[in-house]
Amino acid sequence: MSYIEELGIRAKNAENNIRNITTDQKNRALTAIAEALKNSVNKSLIITENKKDLENAKKNGMTKAFIDRLTLTEERIEKISESVMEIVALADPIDEILGGGQVRDGFNIVKKRVPLGVIGVIYESRPNVTVDAAALCLKSGNVCMLRGGSDAIYSNMCLALFMRRALEDCGVTADCIILVEDTSREVAADMMKLNNYIDVLIPRGGSGLIRSVVKNSTVPVLQTGEGNCHLYVDANADIGMAVRIADNAKTQRPSVCNAIETLLVHKNAAEETLRGLYELWKGVVTIYGDKKTSAIIPVERIATEEDYYTEFNDYIIAIKVVKNVGEAIAHVNKYGTNHSECIITQNYENARRFQQEVDAAAVYVNASTRFTDGNVFGLGAEIGISNQKLHARGPLGLRELTSYKYLIYGNGQIRT
């Protein structure tokens, strides 16, 4: 029996335990996890282990954005702990009645929300995902099997250790949270074939990871994360607003999936918008622009077709000057990944058209794409942002981690 199969068996056994615990038990366990993370001794140990990952990342020449994703500070650990407590405050979705009634043959049918079962999460070097995913799975009655990247293994092992101890202290089986400590590609590939034990697989990370999981998994995949997001500045936009929002959407945290990767600017707003952004971005953001952009501001190089398809996750942006809102919509729908898109405009019809015709999970008017987040949307922490259409779209909160079943009550009916 392989290593990953052994973990799968443990996860499936834990599923029976977590399925039957009460909301109060879940909340006590989550509160214990939050307290464990805030504990000063534990926090110090987490930061010590995280430094090992950071040292390895620097030795391996990883980017500034990558290191930012990987870094855990006291403040960030406090925020992770707070996000767990926010999940405690959310309503438990399990056993929610979704519908029902009496049907023609006299049955009484109840449609009830239930957990998905065992959720596998394959993700890259974001230690916060280890806690967010575990907490959301626990509250929604699911077991989670977590396979993070090798770059964050020390951080993830430490976080998982404290969470599993907290579960045990509350009388909940520790195997409701299982960390895959072997980060080899072979084990990840085996995990993608673990149909007998994993009910759904969620990849979270860059486009390469997501495409690999979608292509190679035989376990059903809930696709998340790939965020080639756009911001379009319309002809009659408030330029000051456009510059402020575009800067936030690109530079506030460029390593995340809801940061913009391409800026589209109407030809009549191009000069003022691009000059304003260049003043903010020179020496900070690398610009790949089309020929019209290069006639207005200096660019690193003329943007290629591949650039418009690329999720940079870095201080890099592709820019294109367009003739109208229709061209902007066509560009977004061709190159985008159905994640988060934005129009800056004072024209109601153009705003309505953009929101109607752009195919994405979140479509903004006059606000930064950085707000696509389960917490901001009132869902608590999210396990990822789904950019597909089945079975959930947008931030994956508690309800998106559930399914349903029908309970049928009869009094002796047989079918003839």
Side-chain angles (χ1 to χ4, degrees):
M1 183 179 295
S2 70
Y3 166 72
I4 198 70
E5 282 181 298
E6 290 178 0
L7 295 186
I9 290 171
R10 286 168 49 191
K12 211 64 182 173
N13 290 337
E15 183 185 355
N16 295 323
N17 177 277
I18 195 172
R19 186 189 293 124
N20 296 311
I21 67 175
T22 65
T23 300
D24 185 56
Q25 287 174 299
K26 293 177 188 177
N27 287 340
R28 284 204 304 270
L30 287 166
T31 301
I33 287 172
E35 292 298 326
L37 296 176
K38 286 199 304 182
N39 177 281
S40 58
V41 174
N42 293 352
K43 196 186 302 178
S44 177
L45 286 170
I46 294 168
I47 291 172
T48 297
E49 294 303 295
N50 180 246
K51 284 179 180 176
K52 295 179 183 177
D53 292 323
L54 292 174
E55 287 168 7
N56 288 334
K58 289 170 185 174
K59 287 178 185 176
N60 293 329
M62 306 309 288
T63 66
K64 181 180 177 182
F66 181 97
I67 291 171
D68 174 65
R69 289 198 301 269
L70 183 60
T71 301
L72 290 176
T73 62
E74 286 203 16
E75 182 182 5
R76 286 188 178 182
I77 295 170
E78 286 285 342
K79 287 182 178 178
I80 292 169
S81 175
E82 289 169 8
S83 74
V84 175
M85 291 307 299
E86 287 170 1
I87 293 170
V88 171
L90 295 173
D92 188 343
I94 301 306
D95 292 335
E96 177 185 355
I97 302 303
L98 301 174
Q102 192 172 73
V103 296
R104 181 187 60 193
D105 294 306
F107 299 120
N108 283 310
I109 297 181
V110 174
K111 183 180 180 183
K112 187 176 79 166
R113 194 181 297 280
V114 296
L116 287 169
V118 177
I119 297 177
V121 187
I122 297 181
Y123 55 106
E124 293 177 333
S125 302
R126 295 174 171 88
N128 64 294
V129 175
T130 303
V131 180
D132 288 348
L136 282 165
C137 285
L138 179 61
K139 185 66 181 262
S140 56
N142 296 291
V143 173
C144 64
M145 187 184 295
L146 305 168
R147 193 276 185 186
S150 59
D151 302 287
I153 187 60
Y154 291 109
S155 306
N156 290 339
M157 288 174 63
C158 193
L159 291 167
L161 174 66
F162 292 134
M163 289 193 292
R164 286 170 58 86
R165 284 180 179 173
L167 291 183
E168 288 180 330
D169 290 343
C170 295
V172 178
T173 178
D175 280 344
C176 288
I177 301 171
I178 293 177
L179 180 71
V180 180
E181 296 183 7
D182 185 334
T183 59
S184 67
R185 291 185 178 181
E186 292 77 15
V187 166
D190 289 343
M191 185 175 173
M192 296 178 206
K193 304 287 192 286
L194 218 58
N195 296 64
N196 290 336
Y197 306 107
I198 297 177
D199 295 285
V200 64
L201 199 57
I202 301 177
R204 181 167 174 178
S207 58
L209 169 71
I210 294 166
R211 290 171 187 171
S212 175
V213 174
V214 171
K215 179 180 178 181
N216 296 301
S217 179
T218 57
V219 176
V221 175
L222 184 51
Q223 186 174 332
T224 72
E226 189 176 0
N228 186 13
C229 304
H230 300 73
L231 184 142
Y232 166 58
V233 181
D234 197 22
N236 48 14
D238 178 322
I239 302 301
M241 176 194 292
V243 169
R244 186 171 67 254
I245 291 175
D247 180 53
N248 176 265
K250 179 69 257 183
T251 68
Q252 197 259 347
R253 200 172 180 192
S255 61
V256 294
C257 61
N258 56 21
I260 62 168
E261 308 293 8
T262 296
L263 176 71
L264 304 171
V265 190
H266 190 283
K267 61 183 182 180
N268 294 343
E271 183 143 352
E272 188 177 355
T273 302
L274 295 179
R275 291 192 186 282
L277 284 168
Y278 182 72
E279 289 304 309
L280 293 174
W281 287 350
K282 60 185 177 182
V284 177
V285 178
T286 299
I287 297 172
Y288 305 151
D290 65 348
K291 290 182 179 179
K292 292 178 181 177
T293 299
S294 68
I296 300 171
I297 58 173
V299 300
E300 181 72 16
R301 68 162 189 250
I302 298 299
T304 65
E305 182 86 349
E306 183 180 354
D307 290 332
Y308 291 126
Y309 277 115
T310 299
E311 180 186 16
F312 299 110
N313 288 136
D314 204 344
Y315 289 92
I316 303 170
I317 195 161
I319 300 178
K320 183 179 182 181
V321 177
V322 297
K323 60 185 178 183
N324 54 40
V325 66
E327 185 180 349
I329 291 168
H331 183 103
V332 169
N333 286 339
K334 177 179 179 180
Y335 297 98
T337 53
N338 313 112
H339 193 294
S340 300
E341 311 293 355
C342 174
I343 181 174
I344 308 297
T345 187
Q346 299 300 312
N347 184 300
Y348 171 80
E349 284 303 318
N350 285 352
R352 185 203 61 78
R353 182 181 174 188
F354 190 87
Q355 287 194 311
Q356 179 70 20
E357 296 183 18
V358 162
D359 184 13
V363 186
Y364 292 81
V365 175
N366 297 334
S368 172
T369 57
R370 285 286 291 111
F371 288 111
T372 305
D373 177 89
N375 202 310
V376 173
F377 284 16
L379 307 176
E382 99 265 324
I383 205 166
I385 309 292
S386 170
N387 52 6
Q388 64 185 53
K389 299 178 183 179
L390 295 175
H391 77 286
R393 201 174 201 199
L396 300 176
L398 292 175
R399 282 174 172 75
E400 288 71 32
L401 299 181
T402 66
S403 182
Y404 54 83
K405 66 180 177 183
Y406 291 94
L407 307 179
I408 301 96
Y409 301 89
N411 55 6
Q413 288 92 337
I414 59 172
R415 186 164 186 173
T416 58

